[in-house]
Amino acid sequence: MLILIVAATAFEVDPLANSLGHKLDILITGAGMVPTAFALGRQFSMHKYDLVINLGIAGSFDKSIHPGYVVEITEDTFSETGAEDDQEFIPISKLGFGENTFKPTTTLENVCNSLYLTRANAITVNTVHGNEESIKKIHSRLNPQIESMEGAAFFYACRQFNLPCLQIRAVSNYVEKRNRDNWDIQLAIKNLNNFAIELINRISNN
């Protein structure tokens, strides 16, 4: 099985690359939805994969999903794609110009039924939330659990090429007024990579 690991930055997957680099391809896209979509389109035009996995850290709106938790993303929405009508936001789907919510084309259970993660919905943003008023607004509109800057673009690209894909995120912080003292990026990366190494080993041994 040929597997592609996709990450925004190298430091998010360094432990995985050092442990399993010979078993899989790793693509570092750069942060954000535009670099992710471009890099994946270029990669998929040159290579065919049996499974594509997006690994990365993320913020959690859901206080029950603590920093360090690793989750499987079941759907991801481009939360900012649409139009404003005074105080109302109209998503691109209601405008009639396309979709804004995308889902993985496979599941962790289908890939490896001996491993389980908490499942969560997510939004993909250009601007990470750090303002109490904007957090309340996005809660009211979409009720997201997880936030990243790449996830929906990853799902979109994989669907365009009809490739099986998963998105696995580790929480590094709560989504709140920006306070880096409350972040735990090292724990998130450690737990993310430990899970990914176990997953790849189990898939490879099947």
Side-chain angles (χ1 to χ4, degrees):
M1 174 179 281
L2 185 56
I3 299 172
L4 175 66
I5 297 295
V6 179
T9 59
F11 78 87
E12 291 172 287
V13 292
D14 274 344
L16 175 70
N18 292 334
S19 298
L20 300 173
H22 63 288
K23 291 186 178 181
L24 71 172
D25 290 348
I26 295 178
L27 176 66
I28 305 301
T29 63
M33 59 187 81
V34 173
T36 296
F38 174 80
L40 286 172
R42 181 174 56 186
Q43 187 77 8
F44 292 159
S45 69
M46 298 184 293
H47 304 282
K48 178 75 173 179
Y49 293 97
D50 300 301
L51 178 63
V52 188
I53 305 174
N54 182 204
L55 298 177
I57 58 177
S60 175
F61 292 91
D62 187 338
K63 297 299 184 182
S64 70
I65 303 177
H66 307 292
Y69 276 32
V70 182
V71 298
E72 177 185 7
I73 303 302
T74 57
E75 69 173 32
D76 208 320
T77 298
F78 291 110
S79 66
E80 300 158 331
T81 307
E84 289 183 337
D85 183 3
D86 196 16
Q87 296 299 312
E88 180 186 0
F89 179 85
I90 307 172
I92 192 172
S93 56
K94 287 189 177 181
L95 292 172
F97 296 138
E99 300 176 57
N100 64 334
T101 298
F102 297 89
K103 296 183 178 182
T105 51
T106 189
T107 66
L108 180 59
E109 183 178 10
N110 287 339
V111 171
C112 181
N113 60 18
S114 60
L115 288 175
Y116 174 81
L117 288 175
T118 296
R119 296 169 178 170
N121 67 69
I123 59 172
T124 297
V125 298
N126 284 307
T127 302
V128 171
H129 285 85
N131 172 273
E132 292 178 359
E133 187 61 31
S134 68
I135 292 169
K136 288 179 182 178
K137 286 182 179 179
I138 200 68
H139 255 303
S140 176
R141 183 160 64 86
L142 292 173
N143 193 28
Q145 294 172 282
I146 299 295
E147 172 181 85
S148 81
M149 299 180 73
E150 300 86 23
F154 168 79
F155 282 159
Y156 174 85
C158 290
R159 193 174 79 170
Q160 296 308 302
F161 284 85
N162 195 30
L163 295 175
C165 67
L166 295 170
Q167 182 185 167
I168 308 296
R169 292 277 169 178
V171 172
S172 58
N173 59 281
Y174 291 123
V175 178
E176 59 188 0
K177 186 175 179 180
R178 191 173 178 86
N179 181 1
R180 297 196 64 165
D181 290 339
N182 289 341
W183 296 7
D184 201 335
I185 292 176
Q186 288 187 339
L187 177 62
I189 290 175
K190 175 184 176 183
N191 291 349
L192 176 70
N193 282 265
N194 285 345
F195 177 84
I197 290 168
E198 180 67 19
L199 174 62
I200 300 303
N201 279 332
R202 293 197 189 191
I203 293 172
S204 300
N205 291 331
N206 286 342

